[in-house]
Structures are given as structure tokens and as C-alpha cells.
Amino acid sequence: MSTKIAACAGAATLAAALAAPAFAGPAYTNDTGGSFRWYGQFNPSFQSFDDGQEDFNRLTDNAASNSRIGFWLEQAYGENTLRFNFETAFGFRSSDGVNQLSTGDNVSWDRTNIRHVDFQFDTARYGRFSAGQGSMATDGITGADFSGTGLGASNAVADSAGGYAFRTSAGALSGVDIGDAFSDLDGGRLGRVRYDTPELAGFTLSTSYGTDVLKDANDRESYDIAVRWANEDAAGFALDSGIGASWTEETGKADQRDISGSFAVLHKATGLSLNLAAGERDIAGTYAYAKLGYKADLIAAGSTAFSVDYYDGSDMVTAGDSAESWGVAAVQKIDALNVETYLAYRDYSYADTSAATYQDANVILAGARWKF
């Protein structure tokens, strides 16, 4: 194990070097309050997965925050602002898209990699109106987190190795993938219309209706509602929370309703944080998640963050099954380069009511994210 961790730490250093900035996205403005700004990020990672019998070592793109590029156009109209956002992933091989039998393509872009084609109209009095490919109201609702270790550890525990299958005690690959057994039940991105109210005493209400416009022959329809509340200055604490409900209908599939949310608190003086997340799908699947984090300025380069977390889920694949995962993560910021390096370890275990038993699996992920 120590050899694997040392190798992954070396990979994180290499990834940081590969991600070192050569350029940065400028902003252009006009005389009427308009602007154009482009941005992006690269997030290469080294993944070492052990299914209990074999090791698999791959270079991947970290699914927790994939490599991407995009731009914003903004134009002010009095006290209101019209915005347009385009963003796409590069389509690099993803950490949750490889498995024991396939490494996938190094680069494979199609239109499902488009993240945002989004028009937004921000009004000073009536809130924000959005239309286009973009976040549903419940997107990110389970992601409240002050730990600073989201690149290596979050309630989306399948991001690190979701494509791999559990191996049975007899040594055969099962039909149960990590991504099926560990879901965060978070909202996603669709072609949608969305409305967000103005903030009132820290509260924001959002609702949306959308369909999957990026896939062929798809009639999925979703609608949702979410409430968020945050307070950055609560007697020495910072607080963030949200809860939402979504409904999905699609021909040939059972209708489903998800209820999910999260809560996070940071003690500013010590850098200690706690975040909790949970979700339930009415037709099958519940989970709960907890993370303890610590963040401090230990070196001059930038802040250092550590965390330990635990996920417990049930009924995600079949009735009566159980899925557990725990992980540890460290993230080091290098402010001068806009780089975050990370090293994370995660363990997965699964059991169901069948006669089969499954070996535990684990993954080490090391890499660096450079934002420009």
C-alpha cells in the first residue's frame, strides 16, 4: 500500500507540472456595460484501482470536476443583466468511465459533453430567469461543503471509480458496478427553463422544468424545486444548506421522485468543518453521507485541506442490498499557479441478498486541477 501511495503522490506532482499555466483567459469589455470572458480548467489524474484480485492503473480525467472550457457574454440593461454561458467538457477519458475490461478512448467528444448553452436574465427585483442547456434547480443540492477536498472526496463517491465492477469472492466480475451501487441522487443538467427568486434573509427558492435535449430518441421529462439557505457570518461560523425534490418521467421506465439535500458548517477560527448529505428515491435507494474536514494555511504556497468521510447506502441496485464507502483526502493549493494538487484513497464494499458475496475494492486518485 505504501508503494502505491508513494507512486500516486509522484503522479500528483507530475500532474501539477503538466497543469502549470501557460496562458489565462482575459476579459474584454465595451462602453455600454458589456463583457466577454473565457475560462477553463484541466484536471488530469492518476487512478489506481484494486478490485480485490487485480490492480488497474490508468491516466484519467477526474470526474469530480472534469476538464472543460467555456465563456460568458454579459450585457447590462440598466439595473438588469443579460448573460449567455457556453461550456463544454473536452471529452477526455473519465475516472468513472473506465473499468476492468475497457480503458476507453483517450479523447471521445460528442454533444453530450456540452455542459451549458444557457441564457440568463438577472433582474434586480424579480430574480433570475434562465433558458437552455444548464443546471436544473436541484443540481448541486447535495454538495454543501466547506472542507476544500471536493476534488478527492465528496458524497459523489462513485466519481473516482464508478465504471468498475465488484468482483465476487469466487473471483468473477459481477454485474454490479460501483456507479450503480453508489448514487448521490443530485440534480443534473438538462435543456430547461428555470427561475430563481431574489435572495431573502439568506434564502433562495428555485424551480425548473427540463428534458434531455442532448440525447437522441429520448423523451425524459423532469421538474424540480429546491430551497437553499446560507449565512457566511453566523457568530464565527459559516453555514450552507439546501433541500430539493425532483420528479422524472420517461417512456419505458418507472416514474421516480428524488428528495435530497445537504448541510455544511465551518468554524472559521479553527478551519474545522462538517458536511452532511442524504437522499431518497421513492422507487428504490437511500443513502446518508458525512465528512469531517480541516483547512489551514500550513505553507506559504496556499491553503492545505484534509478530510475523512463515510457513505452508507441501501436498495440502490436491488431491494435489500447495502453499499458502504469511506475515504480520506488531502488537497494543497498553489495560489501563484491557480493549481490544486490532491491525493485521495477510497474503499468500497457491497452486499446483497443473493448467494454471491463480493470482495471489497479500493481506489487511489492523485492529480492536479489548473484553472484558467
Side-chain angles (χ1 to χ4, degrees):
M1 180 64 70
S2 59
T3 302
K4 287 178 66 175
I5 293 177
C8 287
T13 303
L14 175 61
L18 292 174
F23 57 90
Y28 303 94
T29 59
N30 61 28
D31 296 332
T32 60
S35 66
F36 169 86
R37 175 179 62 87
W38 61 273
Y39 63 91
Q41 64 181 44
F42 289 105
N43 194 1
S45 61
F46 177 78
Q47 177 198 70
S48 181
F49 181 81
D50 181 354
D51 64 11
Q53 185 164 317
E54 293 186 53
D55 291 339
F56 301 85
N57 301 304
R58 275 87 182 257
L59 292 175
T60 64
D61 197 46
N62 189 344
S65 181
N66 60 14
S67 299
R68 64 190 69 160
I69 193 166
F71 65 85
W72 280 96
L73 283 170
E74 298 187 4
Q75 179 63 55
Y77 294 95
E79 60 182 1
N80 306 317
T81 303
L82 179 64
R83 296 184 174 92
F84 174 72
N85 179 213
F86 175 84
E87 181 180 297
T88 179
F90 287 107
F92 298 146
R93 179 172 56 202
S94 179
S95 58
D96 65 355
V98 296
N99 56 51
Q100 288 98 332
L101 302 178
S102 174
T103 61
D105 296 328
N106 291 330
V107 181
S108 179
W109 189 94
D110 61 33
R111 65 184 184 182
T112 62
N113 290 113
I114 296 174
R115 296 169 55 84
H116 295 278
V117 184
D118 192 12
F119 291 91
Q120 301 176 3
F121 188 56
D122 267 328
T123 68
R125 300 181 182 182
Y126 305 110
R128 175 183 296 171
F129 302 84
S130 305
Q133 172 70 17
S135 293
M136 295 287 287
T138 52
D139 189 18
I141 201 67
T142 64
D145 186 359
F146 290 112
S147 70
T149 63
L151 287 172
S154 74
N155 66 307
V157 298
D159 282 347
S160 299
Y164 290 93
F166 282 100
R167 195 176 290 273
T168 68
S169 57
L173 291 178
S174 73
V176 180
D177 293 343
I178 287 173
D180 295 329
F182 295 89
S183 175
D184 59 1
L185 300 181
D186 197 76
R189 293 180 301 276
L190 294 173
R192 89 290 185 242
V193 290
R194 171 172 168 169
Y195 171 67
D196 298 84
T197 67
E199 180 184 311
L200 179 61
F203 286 93
T204 303
L205 174 68
S206 308
T207 187
S208 61
Y209 169 81
T211 185
D212 200 336
V213 298
L214 300 181
K215 293 182 180 179
D216 294 326
N218 184 283
D219 65 353
R220 172 184 174 187
E221 294 184 352
S222 295
Y223 50 99
D224 60 2
I225 187 169
V227 178
R228 292 173 171 85
W229 177 79
N231 187 337
E232 291 293 320
D233 190 17
F237 291 86
L239 304 171
D240 189 18
S241 62
I243 187 169
S246 65
W247 295 263
T248 300
E249 302 173 359
E250 186 174 352
T251 301
K253 295 184 178 180
D255 296 350
Q256 64 187 41
R257 183 218 63 211
D258 295 344
I259 297 177
S260 55
S262 58
F263 170 81
V265 57
L266 168 69
H267 186 233
K268 294 182 178 181
T270 63
L272 293 171
S273 64
L274 169 69
N275 77 283
L276 306 172
E280 178 186 37
R281 176 164 291 168
D282 60 344
I283 58 175
T286 62
Y287 83 94
Y289 173 85
K291 181 202 281 190
L292 291 174
Y294 172 69
K295 183 165 61 175
D297 295 322
L298 302 181
I299 62 175
S303 64
T304 307
F306 304 95
S307 69
V308 57
D309 66 3
Y310 176 73
Y311 174 108
D312 181 60
S314 60
D315 305 322
M316 289 290 186
V317 181
T318 59
D321 71 5
S322 62
E324 293 182 274
S325 179
W326 62 270
V328 293
V331 175
Q332 176 62 56
K333 284 190 173 184
I334 306 174
D335 293 336
L337 301 178
N338 287 331
V339 167
E340 299 159 274
T341 63
Y342 53 90
L343 178 62
Y345 171 87
R346 180 160 301 282
D347 183 88
Y348 302 98
S349 61
Y350 178 78
D352 60 21
T353 58
S354 72
T357 58
Y358 304 87
Q359 300 184 55
D360 290 355
N362 64 73
V363 63
I364 297 175
L365 200 68
R369 178 176 68 178
W370 166 50
K371 288 187 172 183
F372 56 86

